[in-house]
Amino acid sequence: MPSPENPICAVCSTSLDLFDRALLLRRHEVDLFRCPQCGLMAFPDPWWLTEAYESAIYDGDQGLLRRSRLLSRVTATLIRAEGLGAGRFLDWGGGYGTLTRMMRDKHLDYYTADAYATNILAPGFTGDEKETYDLVTAFEVLEHLHDPMEQLATVTSHNDRFFFTTVLHDMKAPPRPGTWWYYALDSGQHIAFHTKQSLAILAERMGYSVTSDGDNYHLFHRGPVRPATRLLLSERAAGAKRRGVELARTMTGRRPDQPGMRA
């Protein structure tokens, strides 16, 4: 299928440059574009998504429960750091409700919302993205969004804290297809790959400030955050997490940062 003519960056509205070609779902050759302004890498016309989402959760994601356990710990730490323990929370794009179940087991008032997946594990605790929460989480979601401004508009317009994960790449050395696991080419579901710059611009356009570890954990917030939160989401903390991944790799002989193996 031909590439879109004159594609525009969904974050900063700059004309995208053709970067490379990638093989998605092991059968579709698709052009990958790069924004020269903010560094966003994108497949701007993802016509194959119906095929990619035949299953709402990619069947090759073998690390779902392990990742949810890690994210439940990090999120509970953030909630304590911000003094929000008595608050109300939403996991947006929450899949089968795995994280929400774990957070409710920690006695936190958590709900889940996902337009494309059934809440199996947290029945009775389906939330509404039009309501207000003390914190909204969105884990492994941003890389699935072809128009984040539009797709996040409802849930972010009336929520002051939006905590999410997406793995960033270096704008100065963008990775080629086949050299970076996060493209997840076999799934066909990852279509946008952010940089520090693209997140900063996106946050500003949505009326947020951003606190990020520069790697995978990011908090959009209106108003200040506490020092403990800045420490949790510091680049120093990200370095410690990366060292932990390297240690796990040497101990197990597996790559926990490959698709389906990321903790």
Side-chain angles (χ1 to χ4, degrees), residues 27 36 44 96-98 106 128 135 164-165 181 194 202 206 216 223 238-239 241 256 262:
R27 53 186 168 275
Y96 300 144
T98 308
K106 295 177 183 291
D128 186 343
L135 177 73
F164 63 99
T165 60
W181 64 273
H194 287 267
L202 182 62
M206 300 175 75
N216 187 40
K241 287 192 281 286
R262 186 171 177 83

Side-chain angles (χ1 to χ4, degrees), residues 137-151:
T137 51
F139 296 133
E140 296 305 293
V141 171
L142 226 69
E143 61 277 4
H144 296 258
L145 305 182
H146 70 277
D147 188 347
M149 284 290 297
E150 178 182 345
Q151 292 170 278

Side-chain angles (χ1 to χ4, degrees), residues 154-195:
T154 299
V155 74
T156 59
S157 61
H158 44 269
N159 285 291
D160 292 340
R161 299 179 185 89
F162 183 71
F163 180 46
F164 63 99
T165 60
T166 195
V167 179
L168 304 184
H169 71 87
D170 185 352
M171 181 175 176
K172 296 180 180 179
R176 296 283 174 180
T179 67
W180 191 34
W181 64 273
Y182 204 60
Y183 283 130
L185 300 177
D186 286 352
S187 81
Q189 295 183 0
H190 287 195
I191 58 176
F193 310 92
H194 287 267
T195 66

Side-chain angles (χ1 to χ4, degrees), residues 9-245:
C9 178
V11 172
C12 68
S13 301
T14 302
S15 293
L16 297 175
D17 294 334
L18 180 62
F19 180 71
D20 208 334
R21 288 183 67 79
L23 186 66
L24 298 181
L25 296 167
R26 301 185 180 184
R27 53 186 168 275
H28 303 306
E29 285 196 7
V30 181
D31 287 336
L32 176 65
F33 289 83
R34 176 180 178 273
C35 178
Q37 180 68 27
C38 72
L40 181 77
M41 307 283 289
F43 298 109
D45 181 27
W47 48 265
W48 59 90
L49 289 186
T50 299
E51 180 182 351
Y53 283 101
E54 288 179 353
S55 174
I57 306 297
Y58 174 49
D59 292 340
D61 186 358
Q62 302 171 16
L64 176 63
L65 294 180
R66 181 169 61 249
R67 185 171 62 246
S68 294
R69 286 195 296 270
L70 171 63
L71 292 170
S72 71
R73 293 194 296 269
V74 173
T75 304
T77 302
L78 175 63
I79 287 171
R80 288 195 300 271
E82 286 293 291
L84 301 174
R88 188 166 175 263
F89 313 99
L90 177 71
D91 189 31
W92 190 78
Y96 300 144
T98 308
L99 181 86
T100 294
R101 179 72 273 160
M102 292 181 179
M103 299 305 283
R104 295 202 71 87
D105 288 348
K106 295 177 183 291
H107 308 291
L108 292 165
D109 191 17
Y110 234 94
Y111 300 84
T112 185
D114 195 315
Y116 303 100
T118 301
N119 175 11
I120 298 172
L121 298 176
F125 300 107
T126 298
D128 186 343
E129 68 172 3
K130 297 178 182 179
E131 296 181 4
T132 299
Y133 300 87
D134 292 275
L135 177 73
V136 174
T137 51
F139 296 133
E140 296 305 293
V141 171
L142 226 69
E143 61 277 4
H144 296 258
L145 305 182
H146 70 277
D147 188 347
M149 284 290 297
E150 178 182 345
Q151 292 170 278
L152 294 173
T154 299
V155 74
T156 59
S157 61
H158 44 269
N159 285 291
D160 292 340
R161 299 179 185 89
F162 183 71
F163 180 46
F164 63 99
T165 60
T166 195
V167 179
L168 304 184
H169 71 87
D170 185 352
M171 181 175 176
K172 296 180 180 179
R176 296 283 174 180
T179 67
W180 191 34
W181 64 273
Y182 204 60
Y183 283 130
L185 300 177
D186 286 352
S187 81
Q189 295 183 0
H190 287 195
I191 58 176
F193 310 92
H194 287 267
T195 66
K196 292 181 184 179
Q197 292 88 338
S198 68
L199 287 191
I201 293 170
L202 182 62
E204 183 179 12
R205 291 186 64 188
M206 300 175 75
Y208 285 109
S209 299
V210 58
T211 297
S212 169
D213 71 354
D215 181 26
N216 187 40
Y217 293 95
H218 323 284
L219 176 65
F220 284 2
H221 52 93
R222 299 184 178 102
V225 297
R226 294 184 174 184
T229 299
R230 293 198 176 277
L231 179 61
L232 175 67
L233 300 179
S234 67
E235 295 195 15
R236 180 179 179 183
K241 287 192 281 286
R242 283 193 294 270
R243 288 191 293 273
V245 168

